[in-house]
Amino acid sequence: MNTSGPDEQGLRLIPFRGLRYVPERVGSLAAVTSPPYDVVVRPDGLHHLESADPHNIVRLILPQADTAGERHRQAARTLERWLAEGVIAPDPEPALYVYEQRNDEILQRGVIGALALSPAADGIVLPHEDVMDDIVADRAELMRTAQAHLEPLLLTYRGDGSPTGAAAVIERTAEQPPLLSTTTEDGFHHRLWAVTDPAERGEIETDLARHQALIADGHHRWATYLRLQREQSAPGPWDFGLVLLVDTARHPLQVRAIHRLLRGLPVARALEELSGLFRVRTVGGPLPLALDALAGAAAEGNAFLLAGDGGFHLVDRPDPALLARTIRTDRPEAWRTLDATVLHSALLDDVWRIPDAPEHIGYIHDTGAAVEQAERLGATAVLMHPVREEVVRDLARQGVTMPRKSTSFGPKPATGLVMRSLTLD
């Protein structure tokens, strides 16, 4: 992102005493990690993680109980018990953490720390998506009850590409033996280092103070941080939130789409109600070929791929009159032409009349999982094409948020490698 001006406060990242699993007390570090809470495919993925190790972090980020209140209390009790048993332990001194993710195609490095919170109006941390109040309320109650930040947000900033400042410290640190090293079942190799030297921490902090950041993943958790901060009557640990900051000038992120599962809408009815409003064509599978057809159509305008009846249906070329009637005119053209804008404003709100509530719409990152669940439930999966990163950044700079769950940046940090207690800072 653009750097802050000389009189502006940029990113303020401070060290903290990380909570980490004690390797000798768990089956393996890989077995206790999880994707972020909103990426876990439920119920199959949840059950898989719960069975991977009795101490898997999913028991904290997605606890299972009959009521929301009991879920949150259960997570707090579990965290307290694991700390008492020595399954999880705090590091001996505050640190910033260099974090690396690597597979055959991607190398991503960044720094994890506690970031000073700021509203979007300050222009320091920029959101690009709207959030859902019920999810923010649930995450707030979990954090409030557990007194911990259990998984870092993914934020990006743009350095000048030179190996100085934070980049220099990160590269030097990555040459040292790590605190931990593990390979998760998705093929990513993870390494973590603690930066405790005051001079090196100062080098990182001074560099980051010149920058602003874009929230790449974790809008609901950032909104949760801000909500919990507003509840406090005095300055304290709630003024900071756990984040991973990645310099995308050195480590560009991937941008993927997030797909919709329309639980109560069969594909046949969805297609029938689109008659005369969109062009609808059946395209051949398997799924990768159908996604290629979606990509081709998306290059020319708004396009969606519907699935759930055993086939694939390409929906594109919306009726201009429908768009004129349903899309807000007080937003930039880049926002008005987003697939997510057209989907929510024209299709979900006007054509299909589906409320944006969890019982009606599921948000699923994996295309195969979206199709499988739609076929199993007799529902409709709406598969989306990803938004270009420069569109996301340009809208964020203008202070314009995209419809919720419009993008999925990655790779995302593995949950469970380092946590932050709100009682240790």
Side-chain angles (χ1 to χ4, degrees):
M1 301 291 297
N2 293 336
T3 58
S4 299
D7 298 324
E8 296 177 296
Q9 173 64 47
L11 301 169
R12 182 184 170 209
L13 194 72
I14 67 169
F16 67 101
R17 290 179 64 194
L19 297 182
R20 295 190 297 111
Y21 280 98
V22 178
E24 297 78 14
R25 299 301 306 274
V26 297
S28 72
L29 289 175
V32 296
T33 64
S34 164
Y37 79 97
D38 58 336
V39 182
V40 176
V41 178
R42 287 168 270 192
D44 296 345
L46 180 63
H47 294 157
H48 172 71
L49 291 165
E50 287 179 329
S51 62
D53 189 285
H55 301 108
N56 189 283
I57 191 70
V58 78
R59 298 181 186 276
L60 301 182
I61 63 171
L62 290 173
Q64 300 300 293
D66 291 337
T67 67
E70 181 54 30
R71 288 197 299 272
H72 304 139
R73 289 188 292 272
Q74 178 176 295
R77 291 193 299 266
T78 300
L79 177 59
E80 184 177 4
R81 184 175 71 254
W82 289 354
L83 285 166
E85 294 173 349
V87 173
I88 290 174
D91 282 335
E93 59 181 316
L96 298 176
Y97 295 87
V98 169
Y99 175 48
E100 176 189 277
Q101 295 162 274
R102 181 197 294 266
N103 66 9
D104 293 338
E105 301 174 351
I106 297 170
L107 170 64
Q108 179 171 291
R109 289 175 178 156
V111 60
I112 295 174
L115 183 67
L117 305 182
S118 60
D122 288 356
I124 298 172
V125 176
L126 302 178
H128 70 267
E129 289 184 355
D130 295 331
V131 297
M132 292 175 268
D133 289 340
D134 58 329
I135 296 178
V136 174
D138 180 77
R139 291 292 105 182
E141 186 58 30
L142 175 63
M143 292 184 198
R144 190 186 299 114
T145 306
Q147 294 282 293
H149 293 159
L150 301 171
E151 46 188 339
L153 283 66
L154 176 59
L155 272 61
T156 71
Y157 68 100
R158 291 195 67 81
D160 59 12
S162 65
T164 59
V169 176
I170 289 170
E171 298 308 313
R172 289 197 302 268
T173 302
E175 297 175 356
Q176 306 302 315
L179 282 178
L180 64 85
S181 177
T182 190
T183 301
T184 45
E185 63 181 8
D186 59 4
F188 270 96
H189 188 62
H190 306 261
R191 296 197 294 172
L192 188 77
W193 297 262
V195 179
T196 56
D197 179 79
E200 293 202 317
R201 288 198 329 228
E203 196 172 345
I204 292 174
E205 293 163 14
T206 299
D207 184 16
L208 293 178
R210 302 183 297 113
H211 294 285
Q212 62 180 179
L214 175 75
I215 301 175
D217 185 70
H219 284 81
H220 287 90
R221 282 167 283 162
W222 183 258
T224 299
Y225 290 167
L226 293 174
R227 174 180 292 195
L228 293 172
Q229 181 190 39
R230 290 193 296 268
E231 296 176 0
Q232 308 307 309
S233 58
W238 296 98
D239 294 324
F240 297 82
L242 181 63
V243 305
L244 165 65
L245 279 160
V246 174
D247 177 0
T248 54
R250 299 181 67 81
H251 302 287
L253 271 64
Q254 297 178 324
V255 187
R256 292 189 171 93
I258 302 176
H259 313 290
R260 274 61 170 166
L261 176 68
L262 309 182
R263 305 185 196 280
L265 182 66
V267 173
R269 195 171 93 224
L271 296 174
E272 179 183 354
E273 294 178 359
L274 292 178
S275 178
L277 299 174
F278 284 77
R279 183 176 69 168
V280 179
R281 293 173 288 160
T282 298
V283 296
L287 178 57
L289 288 180
L291 291 172
D292 287 343
L294 173 62
E300 300 179 5
N302 299 119
F304 312 94
L305 189 67
L306 272 55
D309 62 352
F312 300 101
H313 310 275
L314 186 62
V315 176
D316 65 354
R317 297 188 183 179
D319 175 21
L322 172 68
L323 301 184
R325 187 178 79 249
T326 59
I327 305 297
R328 293 174 56 168
T329 58
D330 60 346
R331 295 291 180 92
E333 181 69 12
W335 182 91
R336 290 167 50 84
T337 55
L338 288 168
D339 285 342
T341 298
V342 173
L343 174 63
H344 282 262
S345 297
L347 286 172
L348 297 178
D349 292 349
D350 189 82
V351 177
W352 292 328
R353 299 185 182 276
I354 298 176
D356 194 354
E359 61 269 27
H360 297 287
I361 303 177
Y363 293 86
I364 301 177
H365 292 70
D366 182 79
T367 52
V371 173
E372 185 277 327
Q373 289 200 34
E375 291 179 346
R376 177 160 48 85
L377 298 173
T380 295
V382 181
L383 305 183
M384 311 278 287
H385 189 68
V387 182
R388 290 180 294 111
E389 182 177 357
E390 54 266 32
V391 173
V392 177
R393 291 186 180 278
D394 287 346
L395 287 172
R397 289 190 184 106
Q398 297 176 61
V400 177
T401 54
M402 299 164 64
R404 58 190 62 130
K405 300 293 184 181
S406 293
T407 61
S408 176
F409 281 84
K412 305 177 192 302
T415 298
L417 296 181
V418 62
M419 297 159 273
R420 175 178 178 245
S421 168
L422 276 301
T423 62
L424 287 177
D425 287 10

